[in-house]
Amino acid sequence: MAVRRLAETQPESFAFSPENHAWAEREIAKFPEGRQASAVIALLWRAQEQEGWITKPAIEQVAEMLSMPTIRVLEVATFYTMFHLEPVGTKAHVQVCGTTPCMLRGAGDIIDVCRRRIHAEPHHRSADEAFSWEEVECLGACVNAPMVQVFKDTYEDLTPESFEAVLDAFDRGETPTPGPQNGRHHSVPINGLTSLTEIDYSDGAAAPVTEPMSAPAPARSEPAPAEPSVAEAPRATEGPTQSDATAVAEAEPELLTAAPDEGADDLKRISGVGPKLEGLLNSMGIYTFAQVAAWTPENIAWVDDRLKFKGRIDRDDWLGQARKFAAEKSGR
Amino acid sequence: MSDLRKLIVDGREIEVPPSYTLLQACEEAGAEIPRFCFHERLSIAGNCRMCLVELKGAPKPVASCAWGVSDCRPGPNGEPPEVLTRSALTKKAREGVMEFLLINHPLDCPICDQGGECDLQDQAMAYGVDTSRYHENKRAVEDKHIGPLVKTFMNRCIHCTRCIRFATEVAGVPELGATGRGEDMEITTYLEQAMVSELQANVVDLCPVGALTSKPYSFKARPWELDKTESIDVMDALGSNIRVDARGKEVMRILPRLNEDVNEEWISDKTRHCVDGLRAQRLDRPYLRVDGRLQAASWSDAFAAITERVAATTGDKIGAIAGDLAGVEEMFALKRLMESLGSASTDCRQDGAALDPALGRGGYIFNATVAGIESADAILIVGSNPRKEAPVLNARIRKRWRAAQPPIGVIGEPADLTYDYNYLGAGPESLSHLLAGEGDFYHALSAAEQPLILVGQRALVGDNGAAVLSAAARLAADVGATRDDWNGLSILHTAASRVGGLDIGFVPGEGGKIAREMVSGDSGLDVLFLLGADEIAMPPAGPFVVYIGTHGDAGAHRADVILPGAAYTEKSATWVNTEGRAQLGNRAAFPPGDAREDWSILRALSGALGKTLSFDSLAALRAELYEAHPHLAEIDTIKPAERADFGRVAAIGGAIAGPPFASPIKDFYLTNPIARASATLAECSAMHLGPAAEAAE
């Protein structure tokens, strides 16, 4: 970060467009009388959206609208680096994230493209004044690193090639589709879903995207070998039992009509089983550790379905516990 | 919660109010806490971290300036919270802070004006280390040009933000700010415009390092080679307490002195920077007008010329006008001399303000007192612009306004007073409306417990002056401002000599002429004495004018004889401020050349005139003065007015209709001969009247 000063050449005047002015009045009205200064960031931001950068007349205009001393508005404008104090590219001002995750995933290459195509130094406009760039701190899209922000949109999962394609599109006057540029859907894992797969979305809740790549993706299914992908690594917790749970057929386990003569086992000893659940199990005809220990995956699915306790049996490892307790009992 | 909290500071148990900060509590316990950003009269910023102390139970040292006593938790068994200000942890924390501060602070103490009186220097002696671990380049910051009074060396800035807080909170002109952030934070005005506040030079005192230094004083002297004399300011009627620093014969600078009841610790820029006016345009020998031209003369020639003219006339054709800077002693001596010459024409009211000491003191002093402003719950300002007439007093009104937002009404010139007010009108008719009980502001005044009615000189100088004062007194009585426990009728003077002159009755006696009559073409006077009187239209050809004063100003230009006197820093004298507080100024330097202290000039002149005054030393003069006016011996106290005074003022009555009140001060920086001789203040004045002037109002 460097010393931030107002640009040397400044326009004569600044005025909000009628729509922006009306918007600004509404914004100011949100704050109680005497607290209008609270709207300063919003107004400066709108002024920047309108003009592309914060001009001296804009600062003075905002100060006047909010009855603030101009120095107070200048303080705000120079404090936040997202306010541009110099003119930026007319077609695109590229903010390249250079913070650690992006840097590790190749932000340096993106910056090299900027240096080559736009200007050797940040905060300078290209020869045709259409582009400018700067390196910024984390923009909060580390999962799609490396990424850049152009005005309000982010372009993610960039390679030098796809970044140049984005710049080309801006150069043609288009607005490229924001988001990942490798066809990935938002930040969905590149190798498909690895978690939350067992939730029942049949009641109409928004279902997760199971396709890692959307259809019109550019041909870039594999990350470049030079960039080891975190998403590529297989998930350690992945297991067939869980992910396939809904697919397993149900089968009734061995059930007793009443407690055995030597007495029912204290099923509450199984971690995860309370008095209520014990009563439920008993009513189903399950009384002993040995019964539980003998369950097959099909049996588990059957019990699970009736307990409405999706996945609980596996998660708490009822079988393992039951085997242990059953062994203790028989050993005694 | 009025209960006291127990606290253990360095093993000593104390009880303090819960509203205290730890820093205040530690000071109460006698522990000294270093600080840079904290200042008693400014809001708490808590950003320098120098005041860190160890608080038992807190995971890390806490900034004592920003940590409330009520925030401290008791120990596990209910023991009082314990603060350690001298522990190893505290010392280490402060050393760390100091090291960080010094990382970017240049090592230019030998060429820094703050050297010798620098907080950073002093505290580095206690908490600094003798080497630096920092091998990178230091930060470099461009110096800012923020006006003719404050010089900046921004490399030295430690970002305490005291100056910003002062400009915003006390001066009420939010023109300083911090742009950028972090290491690149810079203190500046908007686009480096010059500062416009009349109190701006106080930021030099506030700056704990040498980032903001005094431009006129830059590279002039070192603090340890200056003789420091405590004295009283005469630039306005507030009587700010000052310290005059002189080297040899020369006054080098003027600094404020703490007096909670008068100026707190601020002084106006005029008070501080009239210093070069004490050197320029001085009258350093007697002059005598020969063939229409002033020529240097000896004291005896000058006295002989005066004796000749006085002998040729009678007492009723002699008059004397005292100027705005005169001390009580010389006015007393002049009055005695005039009495012995048989003249009743003496006046200390150059502007013709309708203030009559015969009605009692209550009719001409600031009865509410300056400190009393802080308990006023409604303020009416009539015919005054306190920001120009007494900027430090105006800061007190602003302080009250910030604390409690009392309703403030203004009748007179609308101006930016640095606080919001209801503008009630321009002239006397608005006062009539109030007196008739009309308008919302009347109800605000009468509902107030302690209403304050501030009457400025502008309301009193017209032909209707006495009637306006009377109307104000009646309004004060009506709204309950003149009670035994609260005197809200307050006259704000603009001349330092005025209350003292009224106290000793330096006004026309029986058959005497007032100042305006004395200088008029048909005054019939043969001899006119001007004791530093420059703010009045000079009489046309006619009277023989004897000017006793310090500067070649208006009075000296008209004079037939000039007797060079001593400026306020060159004599010991009493001034009575607008509250009626007698204060004693002391001599910091000697008058230049043949100039003498005014009372001794008058004593010598009386001998030449054959009317030798009865005292031949200042002590003897004072003894007589105190005998005649005992309250003047009570230095730094106010003899309160009697309630009957207000009744007498209110009884004057009369029609108050007249032109609108305008501020008597057209140019704040050039109100007296000393200020007019100052190049620094001339620069300030030019800046305000120039293109930047629009920003000032």
Side-chain angles (χ1 to χ4, degrees), chain A residues 1-6 55-57 59-60 69-76 78-82, chain B residues 140-142 144 164 168 174-184 186 188-193:
Chain A
M1 215 167 55
V3 173
R4 284 161 57 80
R5 296 276 163 79
L6 294 186
T55 62
K56 173 172 161 271
I59 287 175
E60 284 158 10
T70 42
I71 181 72
R72 294 280 165 270
V73 184
L74 182 72
E75 283 177 336
V76 173
T78 55
F79 184 91
Y80 293 102
T81 52
M82 286 168 84
Chain B
V141 187
E142 287 169 37
K144 308 290 183 293
I164 300 177
T168 307
E175 48 194 350
L176 282 173
T179 64
R181 57 166 149 166
E183 191 191 40
D184 297 310
E186 296 183 294
T188 183
T189 56
Y190 182 64
L191 307 177
E192 295 194 34
Q193 289 166 345

Tab-separated table of all heavy atoms in Angstrom, chain A residues 1-6 55-57 59-60 69-76 78-82, chain B residues 140-142 144 164 168 174-184 186 188-193:
chain	number	residue	atom	x	y	z
A	1	MET	N	0.848	-1.185	0.000
A	1	MET	CA	0.000	0.000	0.000
A	1	MET	C	0.890	1.243	0.000
A	1	MET	O	1.970	1.232	0.536
A	1	MET	CB	-0.887	0.004	1.231
A	1	MET	CG	-2.234	0.591	0.959
A	1	MET	SD	-3.352	0.243	2.293
A	1	MET	CE	-2.495	0.859	3.708
A	2	ALA	N	0.429	2.226	-0.621
A	2	ALA	CA	1.261	3.421	-0.725
A	2	ALA	C	0.451	4.638	-0.315
A	2	ALA	O	-0.728	4.533	0.000
A	2	ALA	CB	1.766	3.574	-2.160
A	3	VAL	N	1.124	5.754	-0.297
A	3	VAL	CA	0.449	7.008	0.014
A	3	VAL	C	-0.601	7.266	-1.043
A	3	VAL	O	-0.340	7.138	-2.233
A	3	VAL	CB	1.475	8.151	0.040
A	3	VAL	CG1	0.768	9.478	0.186
A	3	VAL	CG2	2.465	7.926	1.154
A	4	ARG	N	-1.777	7.588	-0.606
A	4	ARG	CA	-2.870	7.804	-1.562
A	4	ARG	C	-3.218	9.287	-1.606
A	4	ARG	O	-3.549	9.889	-0.593
A	4	ARG	CB	-4.082	6.978	-1.158
A	4	ARG	CG	-3.914	5.495	-1.483
A	4	ARG	CD	-4.861	4.629	-0.700
A	4	ARG	NE	-6.254	4.975	-0.890
A	4	ARG	CZ	-6.980	4.599	-1.950
A	4	ARG	NH1	-6.440	3.873	-2.889
A	4	ARG	NH2	-8.238	4.952	-2.060
A	5	ARG	N	-3.110	9.829	-2.785
A	5	ARG	CA	-3.422	11.248	-2.984
A	5	ARG	C	-4.445	11.370	-4.093
A	5	ARG	O	-4.576	10.477	-4.930
A	5	ARG	CB	-2.162	12.018	-3.401
A	5	ARG	CG	-1.082	12.054	-2.369
A	5	ARG	CD	-1.341	13.178	-1.370
A	5	ARG	NE	-0.559	12.999	-0.173
A	5	ARG	CZ	0.724	13.304	-0.059
A	5	ARG	NH1	1.352	13.814	-1.079
A	5	ARG	NH2	1.359	13.114	1.064
A	6	LEU	N	-5.099	12.508	-4.128
A	6	LEU	CA	-6.023	12.755	-5.226
A	6	LEU	C	-5.224	12.921	-6.512
A	6	LEU	O	-4.081	13.359	-6.490
A	6	LEU	CB	-6.842	14.016	-4.960
A	6	LEU	CG	-7.799	13.946	-3.771
A	6	LEU	CD1	-8.638	15.210	-3.711
A	6	LEU	CD2	-8.701	12.730	-3.860
A	55	THR	N	-13.462	11.544	-7.854
A	55	THR	CA	-12.853	12.806	-8.247
A	55	THR	C	-12.961	13.804	-7.097
A	55	THR	O	-13.763	13.640	-6.179
A	55	THR	CB	-13.568	13.385	-9.476
A	55	THR	OG1	-14.930	13.650	-9.113
A	55	THR	CG2	-13.553	12.383	-10.628
A	56	LYS	N	-12.144	14.842	-7.190
A	56	LYS	CA	-12.189	15.882	-6.153
A	56	LYS	C	-13.556	16.545	-6.100
A	56	LYS	O	-14.116	16.712	-5.004
A	56	LYS	CB	-11.079	16.889	-6.438
A	56	LYS	CG	-11.079	18.102	-5.571
A	56	LYS	CD	-9.815	18.919	-5.830
A	56	LYS	CE	-9.937	20.346	-5.373
A	56	LYS	NZ	-10.482	21.269	-6.359
A	57	PRO	N	-14.138	16.924	-7.247
A	57	PRO	CA	-15.490	17.496	-7.152
A	57	PRO	C	-16.499	16.523	-6.555
A	57	PRO	O	-17.431	16.953	-5.872
A	57	PRO	CB	-15.855	17.810	-8.601
A	57	PRO	CG	-14.609	17.744	-9.380
A	57	PRO	CD	-13.607	16.959	-8.620
A	59	ILE	N	-15.865	14.335	-4.184
A	59	ILE	CA	-15.671	14.389	-2.735
A	59	ILE	C	-16.360	15.623	-2.161
A	59	ILE	O	-17.060	15.564	-1.146
A	59	ILE	CB	-14.166	14.401	-2.422
A	59	ILE	CG1	-13.578	13.011	-2.673
A	59	ILE	CG2	-13.905	14.841	-0.987
A	59	ILE	CD1	-12.083	12.937	-2.514
A	60	GLU	N	-16.196	16.731	-2.852
A	60	GLU	CA	-16.796	17.968	-2.350
A	60	GLU	C	-18.322	17.904	-2.417
A	60	GLU	O	-19.011	18.378	-1.508
A	60	GLU	CB	-16.246	19.162	-3.137
A	60	GLU	CG	-14.826	19.481	-2.677
A	60	GLU	CD	-14.004	20.262	-3.685
A	60	GLU	OE1	-14.572	20.729	-4.679
A	60	GLU	OE2	-12.780	20.368	-3.477
A	69	PRO	N	-17.445	18.106	6.852
A	69	PRO	CA	-16.248	18.814	6.387
A	69	PRO	C	-15.595	17.984	5.269
A	69	PRO	O	-15.572	16.747	5.346
A	69	PRO	CB	-15.350	18.858	7.622
A	69	PRO	CG	-16.244	18.556	8.777
A	69	PRO	CD	-17.345	17.710	8.251
A	70	THR	N	-15.087	18.658	4.262
A	70	THR	CA	-14.514	17.923	3.133
A	70	THR	C	-13.372	17.018	3.568
A	70	THR	O	-13.186	15.939	3.010
A	70	THR	CB	-14.014	18.891	2.047
A	70	THR	OG1	-13.366	19.971	2.685
A	70	THR	CG2	-15.153	19.381	1.198
A	71	ILE	N	-12.640	17.444	4.595
A	71	ILE	CA	-11.501	16.622	5.021
A	71	ILE	C	-11.981	15.262	5.530
A	71	ILE	O	-11.316	14.249	5.352
A	71	ILE	CB	-10.674	17.368	6.110
A	71	ILE	CG1	-9.468	16.553	6.563
A	71	ILE	CG2	-11.517	17.714	7.321
A	71	ILE	CD1	-8.376	16.468	5.550
A	72	ARG	N	-13.180	15.229	6.114
A	72	ARG	CA	-13.699	13.955	6.625
A	72	ARG	C	-14.003	12.990	5.465
A	72	ARG	O	-13.779	11.793	5.574
A	72	ARG	CB	-14.966	14.185	7.438
A	72	ARG	CG	-14.754	14.966	8.705
A	72	ARG	CD	-14.198	14.100	9.833
A	72	ARG	NE	-13.689	14.911	10.902
A	72	ARG	CZ	-12.448	15.358	10.997
A	72	ARG	NH1	-11.547	15.014	10.099
A	72	ARG	NH2	-12.061	16.118	11.992
A	73	VAL	N	-14.535	13.530	4.386
A	73	VAL	CA	-14.819	12.683	3.228
A	73	VAL	C	-13.507	12.242	2.590
A	73	VAL	O	-13.360	11.088	2.167
A	73	VAL	CB	-15.707	13.442	2.217
A	73	VAL	CG1	-16.080	12.537	1.060
A	73	VAL	CG2	-16.953	13.961	2.903
A	74	LEU	N	-12.553	13.149	2.560
A	74	LEU	CA	-11.243	12.791	1.999
A	74	LEU	C	-10.606	11.668	2.820
A	74	LEU	O	-9.981	10.758	2.280
A	74	LEU	CB	-10.332	14.022	1.974
A	74	LEU	CG	-8.950	13.796	1.378
A	74	LEU	CD1	-9.068	13.633	-0.131
A	74	LEU	CD2	-8.007	14.935	1.690
A	75	GLU	N	-10.774	11.746	4.138
A	75	GLU	CA	-10.239	10.692	5.006
A	75	GLU	C	-10.796	9.331	4.597
A	75	GLU	O	-10.063	8.362	4.451
A	75	GLU	CB	-10.612	10.960	6.476
A	75	GLU	CG	-9.784	12.022	7.149
A	75	GLU	CD	-10.230	12.293	8.572
A	75	GLU	OE1	-11.399	12.031	8.897
A	75	GLU	OE2	-9.413	12.761	9.368
A	76	VAL	N	-12.111	9.288	4.402
A	76	VAL	CA	-12.754	8.020	4.036
A	76	VAL	C	-12.263	7.555	2.671
A	76	VAL	O	-11.911	6.394	2.470
A	76	VAL	CB	-14.285	8.183	4.045
A	76	VAL	CG1	-14.963	6.938	3.509
A	76	VAL	CG2	-14.778	8.481	5.447
A	78	THR	N	-9.534	8.189	1.122
A	78	THR	CA	-8.135	7.746	1.061
A	78	THR	C	-7.897	6.517	1.924
A	78	THR	O	-6.912	5.822	1.734
A	78	THR	CB	-7.180	8.865	1.527
A	78	THR	OG1	-7.576	9.294	2.825
A	78	THR	CG2	-7.191	10.020	0.565
A	79	PHE	N	-8.795	6.257	2.868
A	79	PHE	CA	-8.606	5.105	3.760
A	79	PHE	C	-8.877	3.803	3.021
A	79	PHE	O	-8.102	2.853	3.097
A	79	PHE	CB	-9.526	5.229	4.967
A	79	PHE	CG	-9.333	4.143	5.990
A	79	PHE	CD1	-8.445	4.309	7.037
A	79	PHE	CD2	-10.036	2.944	5.904
A	79	PHE	CE1	-8.255	3.315	7.968
A	79	PHE	CE2	-9.843	1.941	6.834
A	79	PHE	CZ	-8.950	2.133	7.866
A	80	TYR	N	-9.984	3.773	2.282
A	80	TYR	CA	-10.393	2.533	1.644
A	80	TYR	C	-9.752	2.405	0.272
A	80	TYR	O	-9.971	3.247	-0.598
A	80	TYR	CB	-11.922	2.476	1.529
A	80	TYR	CG	-12.573	2.367	2.866
A	80	TYR	CD1	-13.163	3.453	3.478
A	80	TYR	CD2	-12.559	1.158	3.562
A	80	TYR	CE1	-13.738	3.353	4.730
A	80	TYR	CE2	-13.130	1.051	4.806
A	80	TYR	CZ	-13.720	2.149	5.385
A	80	TYR	OH	-14.283	2.040	6.617
A	81	THR	N	-8.995	1.335	0.062
A	81	THR	CA	-8.293	1.194	-1.211
A	81	THR	C	-9.259	0.838	-2.337
A	81	THR	O	-8.893	0.868	-3.494
A	81	THR	CB	-7.216	0.115	-1.105
A	81	THR	OG1	-7.817	-1.070	-0.577
A	81	THR	CG2	-6.106	0.555	-0.179
A	82	MET	N	-10.478	0.487	-2.000
A	82	MET	CA	-11.432	0.175	-3.071
A	82	MET	C	-11.938	1.435	-3.751
A	82	MET	O	-12.574	1.360	-4.796
A	82	MET	CB	-12.601	-0.637	-2.540
A	82	MET	CG	-12.196	-2.063	-2.247
A	82	MET	SD	-13.438	-2.938	-1.323
A	82	MET	CE	-14.507	-3.469	-2.640
B	140	ALA	N	9.148	8.315	4.950
B	140	ALA	CA	9.311	9.733	4.644
B	140	ALA	C	7.947	10.306	4.290
B	140	ALA	O	7.213	9.721	3.509
B	140	ALA	CB	10.268	9.932	3.478
B	141	VAL	N	7.608	11.432	4.903
B	141	VAL	CA	6.301	12.034	4.685
B	141	VAL	C	6.492	13.476	4.248
B	141	VAL	O	7.307	14.195	4.817
B	141	VAL	CB	5.456	11.987	5.981
B	141	VAL	CG1	4.043	12.454	5.700
B	141	VAL	CG2	5.444	10.592	6.555
B	142	GLU	N	5.742	13.861	3.246
B	142	GLU	CA	5.856	15.241	2.770
B	142	GLU	C	5.355	16.208	3.829
B	142	GLU	O	4.334	15.964	4.472
B	142	GLU	CB	5.014	15.420	1.506
B	142	GLU	CG	5.600	14.765	0.293
B	142	GLU	CD	4.604	14.731	-0.855
B	142	GLU	OE1	3.844	15.695	-1.018
B	142	GLU	OE2	4.578	13.720	-1.570
B	144	LYS	N	3.486	19.493	5.161
B	144	LYS	CA	2.256	20.123	4.689
B	144	LYS	C	2.326	21.620	4.946
B	144	LYS	O	2.892	22.063	5.928
B	144	LYS	CB	1.048	19.536	5.438
B	144	LYS	CG	0.987	18.023	5.423
B	144	LYS	CD	0.654	17.496	4.043
B	144	LYS	CE	0.531	16.004	4.030
B	144	LYS	NZ	1.794	15.312	4.282
B	164	ILE	N	-5.976	16.815	15.396
B	164	ILE	CA	-7.263	16.637	14.719
B	164	ILE	C	-8.391	16.798	15.724
B	164	ILE	O	-9.387	17.476	15.476
B	164	ILE	CB	-7.341	15.239	14.077
B	164	ILE	CG1	-6.235	15.074	13.053
B	164	ILE	CG2	-8.700	15.015	13.453
B	164	ILE	CD1	-6.208	13.700	12.419
B	168	THR	N	-11.297	19.739	15.801
B	168	THR	CA	-12.689	19.338	15.661
B	168	THR	C	-13.498	19.655	16.906
B	168	THR	O	-14.616	20.140	16.819
B	168	THR	CB	-12.754	17.829	15.375
B	168	THR	OG1	-11.909	17.542	14.269
B	168	THR	CG2	-14.168	17.397	15.054
B	174	PRO	N	-13.452	21.853	11.958
B	174	PRO	CA	-12.869	20.546	11.622
B	174	PRO	C	-12.126	20.596	10.301
B	174	PRO	O	-12.636	20.219	9.269
B	174	PRO	CB	-14.075	19.604	11.554
B	174	PRO	CG	-15.239	20.494	11.335
B	174	PRO	CD	-14.897	21.866	11.793
B	175	GLU	N	-10.916	21.089	10.359
B	175	GLU	CA	-10.175	21.273	9.110
B	175	GLU	C	-8.986	20.337	9.018
B	175	GLU	O	-8.433	20.133	7.954
B	175	GLU	CB	-9.712	22.717	8.978
B	175	GLU	CG	-9.036	23.257	10.239
B	175	GLU	CD	-8.889	24.769	10.206
B	175	GLU	OE1	-9.133	25.345	9.146
B	175	GLU	OE2	-8.536	25.351	11.233
B	176	LEU	N	-8.577	19.742	10.140
B	176	LEU	CA	-7.472	18.789	10.086
B	176	LEU	C	-8.031	17.376	10.013
B	176	LEU	O	-9.076	17.084	10.586
B	176	LEU	CB	-6.599	18.911	11.340
B	176	LEU	CG	-5.616	20.071	11.382
B	176	LEU	CD1	-4.962	20.140	12.749
B	176	LEU	CD2	-4.561	19.932	10.308
B	177	GLY	N	-7.312	16.518	9.325
B	177	GLY	CA	-7.759	15.133	9.240
B	177	GLY	C	-6.587	14.223	8.970
B	177	GLY	O	-5.468	14.678	8.728
B	178	ALA	N	-6.852	12.928	9.027
B	178	ALA	CA	-5.815	11.938	8.758
B	178	ALA	C	-6.192	11.205	7.484
B	178	ALA	O	-7.188	10.495	7.445
B	178	ALA	CB	-5.710	10.966	9.920
B	179	THR	N	-5.408	11.373	6.455
B	179	THR	CA	-5.705	10.674	5.216
B	179	THR	C	-4.846	9.419	5.132
B	179	THR	O	-3.825	9.312	5.800
B	179	THR	CB	-5.429	11.559	3.991
B	179	THR	OG1	-4.028	11.848	3.952
B	179	THR	CG2	-6.202	12.850	4.067
B	180	GLY	N	-5.263	8.506	4.252
B	180	GLY	CA	-4.534	7.257	4.140
B	180	GLY	C	-4.690	6.444	5.412
B	180	GLY	O	-5.536	6.722	6.253
B	181	ARG	N	-3.873	5.433	5.547
B	181	ARG	CA	-3.978	4.614	6.752
B	181	ARG	C	-2.669	3.905	7.019
B	181	ARG	O	-1.774	3.876	6.179
B	181	ARG	CB	-5.110	3.607	6.613
B	181	ARG	CG	-4.950	2.715	5.409
B	181	ARG	CD	-5.911	1.555	5.535
B	181	ARG	NE	-6.360	1.087	4.253
B	181	ARG	CZ	-6.979	-0.073	4.082
B	181	ARG	NH1	-7.219	-0.848	5.104
B	181	ARG	NH2	-7.356	-0.452	2.888
B	182	GLY	N	-2.634	3.323	8.207
B	182	GLY	CA	-1.449	2.582	8.597
B	182	GLY	C	-0.217	3.467	8.598
B	182	GLY	O	-0.263	4.618	9.008
B	183	GLU	N	0.855	2.918	8.111
B	183	GLU	CA	2.106	3.655	8.091
B	183	GLU	C	2.009	4.900	7.209
B	183	GLU	O	2.726	5.870	7.396
B	183	GLU	CB	3.213	2.727	7.563
B	183	GLU	CG	4.592	3.295	7.749
B	183	GLU	CD	5.620	2.489	6.973
B	183	GLU	OE1	5.339	2.071	5.855
B	183	GLU	OE2	6.696	2.276	7.511
B	184	ASP	N	1.104	4.849	6.242
B	184	ASP	CA	1.001	5.955	5.296
B	184	ASP	C	0.007	7.022	5.734
B	184	ASP	O	-0.325	7.913	4.966
B	184	ASP	CB	0.588	5.434	3.919
B	184	ASP	CG	1.627	4.500	3.362
B	184	ASP	OD1	2.798	4.890	3.373
B	184	ASP	OD2	1.278	3.388	2.937
B	186	GLU	N	-1.432	10.298	7.078
B	186	GLU	CA	-0.858	11.629	7.078
B	186	GLU	C	-1.836	12.614	7.690
B	186	GLU	O	-3.026	12.560	7.404
B	186	GLU	CB	-0.549	12.080	5.649
B	186	GLU	CG	0.497	11.262	4.955
B	186	GLU	CD	0.796	11.818	3.582
B	186	GLU	OE1	-0.095	11.782	2.725
B	186	GLU	OE2	1.898	12.294	3.380
B	188	THR	N	-3.260	16.213	7.678
B	188	THR	CA	-3.269	17.308	6.713
B	188	THR	C	-4.603	18.039	6.773
B	188	THR	O	-5.549	17.579	7.409
B	188	THR	CB	-3.027	16.770	5.284
B	188	THR	OG1	-2.966	17.863	4.372
B	188	THR	CG2	-4.121	15.818	4.854
B	189	THR	N	-4.658	19.181	6.139
B	189	THR	CA	-5.937	19.836	5.908
B	189	THR	C	-6.403	19.415	4.525
B	189	THR	O	-5.647	18.821	3.774
B	189	THR	CB	-5.793	21.371	5.947
B	189	THR	OG1	-4.809	21.753	4.990
B	189	THR	CG2	-5.355	21.839	7.310
B	190	TYR	N	-7.633	19.746	4.198
B	190	TYR	CA	-8.148	19.350	2.897
B	190	TYR	C	-7.325	20.044	1.811
B	190	TYR	O	-7.317	21.269	1.722
B	190	TYR	CB	-9.622	19.721	2.769
B	190	TYR	CG	-10.233	19.283	1.463
B	190	TYR	CD1	-10.321	17.945	1.150
B	190	TYR	CD2	-10.690	20.204	0.547
B	190	TYR	CE1	-10.863	17.532	-0.048
B	190	TYR	CE2	-11.243	19.805	-0.654
B	190	TYR	CZ	-11.324	18.456	-0.945
B	190	TYR	OH	-11.857	18.051	-2.132
B	191	LEU	N	-6.609	19.264	1.031
B	191	LEU	CA	-5.774	19.767	-0.060
B	191	LEU	C	-4.806	20.841	0.413
B	191	LEU	O	-4.498	21.782	-0.301
B	191	LEU	CB	-6.659	20.315	-1.185
B	191	LEU	CG	-7.722	19.336	-1.691
B	191	LEU	CD1	-8.570	20.012	-2.744
B	191	LEU	CD2	-7.088	18.083	-2.248
B	192	GLU	N	-4.363	20.692	1.659
B	192	GLU	CA	-3.382	21.623	2.240
B	192	GLU	C	-3.844	23.072	2.221
B	192	GLU	O	-3.064	23.994	2.001
B	192	GLU	CB	-2.022	21.483	1.547
B	192	GLU	CG	-1.417	20.122	1.797
B	192	GLU	CD	0.050	20.074	1.432
B	192	GLU	OE1	0.730	21.090	1.604
B	192	GLU	OE2	0.510	19.023	0.991
B	193	GLN	N	-5.137	23.266	2.461
B	193	GLN	CA	-5.592	24.639	2.639
B	193	GLN	C	-5.052	25.146	3.969
B	193	GLN	O	-4.801	24.370	4.879
B	193	GLN	CB	-7.127	24.690	2.668
B	193	GLN	CG	-7.742	24.427	1.311
B	193	GLN	CD	-9.215	24.139	1.394
B	193	GLN	OE1	-9.742	23.868	2.465
B	193	GLN	NE2	-9.877	24.177	0.257
